Amino acid sequence: MMEETWVVAVRSIIAFLTLIIYTRVLGKQQMGNLTYFDYINGITIGSIAGTFATDLSSKAWIHFVALTIFTIITIIFQYITLKNRTISKLMDSDPTLIIQNGKILEQNLSKMRVKFDELTMMLRQKDVFDITTLDYAILEPDGSLSVVLKPENQPVTAKDMHMHPPKSKLMTEIIIDGLLIKQNLEERHKDINWLSEQLKKQKITIQDIAFAAILPNDKLYVDLFEDKITEKIDMGDYEGPF
């Protein structure tokens, strides 16, 4: 029993390290654009790695070879789909128009096997709460939704107003789970004295903070472990026990 445990442990470590290396070789496409091919491919590679780690009835080398060959085939197909548009469309499918002029195209929605509840969820993720504000909505091959607002509902940009705003900055995390990230604080040209002054104004300490970040406008955003929310909003309509 002990010997089998050590064998599984060693195999698991090898499988884990192999997966890290191979997924890096395959590139970010595996995570960033999960098309049908990528999804099935990821499941298969994971299944081979799992068998590699736990199947003691066969030699580890066999599973390692299978994992390597499958990865090589995936790389070959990635290259082919980059060079051949027809095969790319065959593997990844086409985008599908599901909303036009604010009207849902039920036939296309049914063809993609997307429920109305799923559609409204994806619209909310795009900050669309009024379907009549849309000109088009397109279901992409990776399952994500792209939307085009009607001209009168599109936000006004600085270019439209002939303005020249300052250069954009990113939000920078400086406190996570009550721990200060000094490097990020210094990157925004702030010091501990500045942070202490900001926290003093709010009468809190670093240990009270679950998450804090310096916003693009150099203001401090703080979220405490204990949020004082008096009224909680229920988004569901299910009255069951769970």
Side-chain angles (χ1 to χ4, degrees), residues 125-212:
Q125 291 174 341
K126 289 294 182 179
D127 296 327
V128 175
F129 297 89
D130 183 350
I131 198 169
T132 61
T133 63
L134 290 178
D135 246 348
Y136 304 100
I138 302 166
L139 190 65
E140 304 292 354
D142 64 352
S144 63
L145 189 71
S146 299
V147 299
V148 179
L149 296 173
K150 292 180 179 179
E152 62 270 23
N153 296 308
Q154 293 180 6
V156 178
T157 65
K159 183 179 180 180
D160 296 330
M161 301 294 291
H162 302 288
M163 298 172 61
H164 302 282
K167 185 178 179 181
S168 300
K169 297 180 181 178
L170 298 175
M171 184 178 73
T172 306
E173 303 90 346
I174 59 172
I175 298 175
I176 297 178
D177 288 333
L179 297 176
L180 175 64
I181 307 174
K182 293 182 179 179
Q183 179 181 348
N184 289 0
L185 189 66
E186 294 171 356
E187 285 180 359
R188 291 298 295 268
H189 306 291
K190 307 293 183 183
D191 56 24
I192 192 66
N193 294 328
W194 174 86
L195 179 61
S196 298
E197 186 66 26
Q198 298 296 316
L199 298 182
K200 186 177 179 181
K201 292 178 182 178
Q202 301 187 40
K203 297 180 180 180
I204 55 177
T205 64
I206 292 179
Q207 288 72 30
D208 299 325
I209 299 173
F211 177 83

Side-chain angles (χ1 to χ4, degrees), residues 4-179:
E4 291 181 350
T5 302
W6 279 110
V7 171
V8 171
V10 172
R11 282 191 173 195
S12 298
I13 294 172
I14 296 173
F16 178 77
L17 295 176
T18 303
L19 274 180
I20 290 178
I21 295 171
Y22 285 180
T23 51
R24 291 290 291 177
V25 170
L26 290 174
K28 293 184 178 180
Q29 184 183 7
Q30 285 288 78
M31 294 182 61
N33 302 304
L34 283 178
T35 60
Y36 296 123
F37 173 73
D38 297 325
Y39 180 71
I40 295 172
N41 184 44
I43 291 176
T44 305
I45 289 178
S47 177
I48 294 173
T51 306
F52 180 9
T54 58
D55 185 7
L56 301 182
S57 62
S58 57
K59 295 181 179 180
W61 175 250
I62 301 299
H63 301 294
F64 181 80
V65 170
L67 188 60
T68 302
I69 292 175
F70 205 91
T71 302
I72 292 173
I73 292 173
T74 302
I75 294 172
I76 292 172
F77 266 96
Q78 286 180 346
Y79 181 79
I80 291 174
T81 54
L82 284 174
K83 300 297 181 180
N84 190 305
R85 183 171 176 81
T86 302
I87 296 179
S88 175
K89 292 297 182 182
L90 180 64
M91 297 292 293
D92 297 334
S93 76
D94 280 321
T96 303
L97 186 67
I98 57 176
I99 294 178
Q100 183 174 353
N101 297 328
K103 302 293 184 180
I104 299 175
L105 306 180
E106 290 84 0
Q107 187 174 1
N108 289 356
L109 198 67
S110 177
K111 182 180 177 182
M112 293 294 101
R113 298 180 180 86
V114 176
K115 296 180 291 187
F116 286 101
D117 287 345
E118 294 172 334
L119 174 60
T120 55
M121 177 190 70
M122 289 188 287
L123 289 175
R124 289 195 298 269
Q125 291 174 341
K126 289 294 182 179
D127 296 327
V128 175
F129 297 89
D130 183 350
I131 198 169
T132 61
T133 63
L134 290 178
D135 246 348
Y136 304 100
I138 302 166
L139 190 65
E140 304 292 354
D142 64 352
S144 63
L145 189 71
S146 299
V147 299
V148 179
L149 296 173
K150 292 180 179 179
E152 62 270 23
N153 296 308
Q154 293 180 6
V156 178
T157 65
K159 183 179 180 180
D160 296 330
M161 301 294 291
H162 302 288
M163 298 172 61
H164 302 282
K167 185 178 179 181
S168 300
K169 297 180 181 178
L170 298 175
M171 184 178 73
T172 306
E173 303 90 346
I174 59 172
I175 298 175
I176 297 178
D177 288 333
L179 297 176

